[in-house]
Amino acid sequence: MRDMRLSAESVTKTFGKTNRLAGKSTAVRAVDSASVHVEPGDFVAIVGESGSGKSTLARMLLGLIPADSGVVQLDGVPISAMNRRQRQQYRAAVQCVLQDPSGSLNPRKTVRTSLAEVIRFHGIAQGREAVEQKAIETLSLVGLKPETTYLDRYPHELSGGQRQRVLIARAIVPNPRIIIADEAVSALDVSVKSGILKLMNDLRVRLGIGYILITHDLPVVKKVADYVYVIKSGQVVEEGPTAQIFADPQHEYTKTLLAAAPDLDLVLADRFGE
Ligand SMILES: Nc1ncnc2c1ncn2[C@@H]1O[C@H](COP(=O)(O)OP(=O)(O)OP(=O)(O)O)[C@@H](O)[C@H]1O
Ligand SMILES: [Mg+2]
């Protein structure tokens, strides 16, 4: 696997829904022939209203659920056709970071334990000292310093922003090429949010990680993404470079989304001091 391009080609996912009261079952087409792709170093955003299929698409890209039709592939190899070794590489290469309403970190595990788990799982280091060394190195990369003061803390002893950094630390342990961040910054305060986005961008520059950022937050998209997919009812209705989408949206739905967003330039000035 060389360039590690991650793509979904015309993927579709339908969920069955049974309505017992009405005594009938209906199908929800959560994702409908959607195609997206990302490469290391990219910052791609997927935007769309609630229920438009963003998380379902993310779960297919992560291989957590299979597509009904279409393919997800890494560097041209469909995940359904991967051999054991390729699957292992894919599991390391494509990571996710979810939003943390404290749910993503186990409250009973210290930072040391939750990092050691992934370090061992991916076979990155063995032996207590080597594992600890790797944990410290990773904490340093996500800006939690002095690193040793974080190792023995539990999630409740961390701020929301610090927890998000630990989640990012867990995600970067196996040296991923792509991180899928589903509403990863949505729950955070404005200043914390910009710190996390800055960290994500630093990691992109330093480690060459590519991102798919799924968010409702259009100012964030305008600030960090270089390419945007707009998704509506499971379909990609518009895509293009961020500047183009914001300056000259083509689809009615994109225009509506942009019109519903707060005054972007004011928000950006307020948040990022620009
Ligand atoms: N496991 C499931 N079983 C049944 N229906 C599902 C399941 N997961 C998602 N859906 C349905 O699929 C559609 C898309 O959901 P999805 O979670 O992908 O949307 P989303 O864009 O991530 O929304 P949000 O912005 O609120 O997170 C919705 O109608 C949802 O109810
Ligand atoms: Mg979602």
Side-chain angles (χ1 to χ4, degrees), residues 114-128:
S114 78
L115 286 176
E117 239 170 38
V118 281
I119 292 169
R120 292 211 165 86
F121 177 82
H122 290 284
I124 305 294
Q126 266 129 30
R128 214 179 56 86

Side-chain angles (χ1 to χ4, degrees), residues 103-273:
S104 308
L105 284 173
N106 186 324
R108 292 196 196 81
K109 288 182 182 161
T110 60
V111 170
R112 181 197 302 275
T113 308
S114 78
L115 286 176
E117 239 170 38
V118 281
I119 292 169
R120 292 211 165 86
F121 177 82
H122 290 284
I124 305 294
Q126 266 129 30
R128 214 179 56 86
E129 258 168 51
V131 169
E132 175 160 329
Q133 198 46 49
K134 180 67 193 177
I136 288 172
E137 217 174 89
T138 314
L139 288 175
S140 163
L141 276 172
V142 299
L144 289 175
K145 295 180 198 177
E147 302 84 347
T148 46
T149 63
Y150 288 94
L151 282 176
D152 294 307
R153 293 210 207 163
Y154 288 91
H156 75 268
E157 297 171 314
L158 300 169
S159 71
Q162 289 166 343
R163 279 201 297 271
Q164 202 64 31
R165 282 173 195 264
V166 174
L167 288 174
I168 292 172
R170 273 171 62 98
I172 63 172
V173 159
N175 190 27
R177 308 318 301 138
I178 307 291
I179 290 181
I180 298 177
D182 192 351
E183 306 285 5
V185 294
S186 306
L188 301 171
D189 281 357
V190 166
S191 66
V192 179
K193 185 184 297 202
S194 73
I196 298 291
L197 290 167
K198 188 170 172 306
L199 168 63
M200 289 169 70
N201 197 48
D202 284 350
L203 295 175
R204 154 159 88 157
V205 173
R206 292 174 68 179
L207 308 177
I209 291 172
Y211 294 94
I212 291 188
L213 180 70
I214 295 174
T215 182
H216 288 96
D217 195 331
L218 291 169
V220 163
V221 172
K222 192 174 186 189
K223 168 81 184 160
V224 300
D226 11 72
Y227 198 87
V228 183
Y229 292 95
V230 181
I231 178 167
K232 174 183 193 289
S233 310
Q235 295 180 326
V236 174
V237 294
E238 182 160 4
E239 65 179 276
T242 306
Q244 181 190 312
I245 296 282
F246 278 83
D248 188 21
Q250 297 300 307
H251 196 282
E252 272 317 307
Y253 180 70
T254 313
K255 292 179 189 170
T256 311
L257 272 185
L258 292 178
D263 188 319
L264 291 173
D265 292 326
L266 283 181
V267 175
L268 286 175
D270 195 37
R271 275 191 206 176
F272 302 103

